Amino acid sequence: MHHLILLLFFSLLTVTTTLTSPESHHLLLPSSRKLRQHDTLYCDSWRFTVETNDAGSWSTIPSICFDFVKDYVTGDRYFSDSKLVGGNSLEFANSINVSGDGKDAWIFDVDETLLFNLPYYQDHGFGSEVFDEKAFDEWMLLGEGIVLPASLSLYKELQQLGFTIFILTGRSESFRNATETNLRNVGYDNWKKLILRGPDDKHKLAVDYKSERRKALEDGGYRIRGNFGDQWSDLVGYAIAQRSFKLPNPMYYIA
């Protein structure tokens, strides 16, 4: 009988020690800190697959990454990453022997490239919501997109180097006045042409529409030296630039 009581006592002691020891705590009840670290690692890796285009087509960011994406696009990292892309672009531009005939072209996208729609996404979940075309159309008409400093700096430097600037956007012609006004208000000027979607382009995929417009520039004798955008569909397809540079954007994907 005494042996049985002692055996039960040591068994209970072993279970209690196992449940309360620091080593076993994370196995049984993971701390919120550990969970946050895991989520951050996952979300950073997910963002990497987005930027490398390995993630393919997607409509909203993963639910566990809501805070991660918000912190990224409103924090120093986003602007630092963008600055580095701009610096790499300028380094390449400086290697080009600009002819002086006006045919050395550089293409810029608009949304999340020349203009940063941060105020809109602050009200619409930073990519956590399905894209609302009507709400975004209303936002564009306000002409209140803010400047992305890295893009403005590159834009000005390229003009100094003698490149001809084209702006090629997926926005439609109905937003021309609002877009031109917004661009000028934040510091962009003297572009050669602002190209927007016409009625025949309405249902085209971005990659097809932008390839067609680049091909038209090449047919006009332009040498597309560089292309600067936040979506792979800005950059790939055909009639591609000598070098293309992608800005970060984990908020949305456009095919």
Side-chain angles (χ1 to χ4, degrees), residues 63-82:
S63 59
I64 64 171
C65 298
F66 290 174
D67 289 340
F68 175 88
V69 170
K70 174 185 176 181
D71 291 344
Y72 174 75
V73 298
T74 59
D76 293 338
R77 177 72 181 276
Y78 172 76
F79 292 98
S80 177
D81 288 350
S82 300

Side-chain angles (χ1 to χ4, degrees), residues 8-21 24 28:
L8 289 171
F9 172 78
F10 283 114
S11 296
L12 288 171
L13 180 61
T14 300
V15 171
T16 302
T17 303
T18 301
L19 289 174
T20 57
S21 65
S24 65
L28 298 173

Side-chain angles (χ1 to χ4, degrees), residues 74 112 115-126 136 139 142 144-147 251:
T74 59
E112 277 56 70
L115 299 177
F116 186 25
N117 297 300
L118 180 61
Y120 173 83
Y121 284 102
Q122 285 174 324
D123 292 334
H124 292 83
F126 298 95
F136 193 70
W139 160 255
L142 296 176
E144 295 180 356
I146 64 178
V147 72
M251 293 187 295

Side-chain angles (χ1 to χ4, degrees), residues 9 16 35 58-59 62 66-67 70 173 190 209-210 254:
F9 172 78
T16 302
L35 285 175
W58 52 278
S59 58
F66 290 174
D67 289 340
K70 174 185 176 181
E173 277 289 344
N190 297 322
Y209 154 69
K210 293 200 169 186
I254 297 176

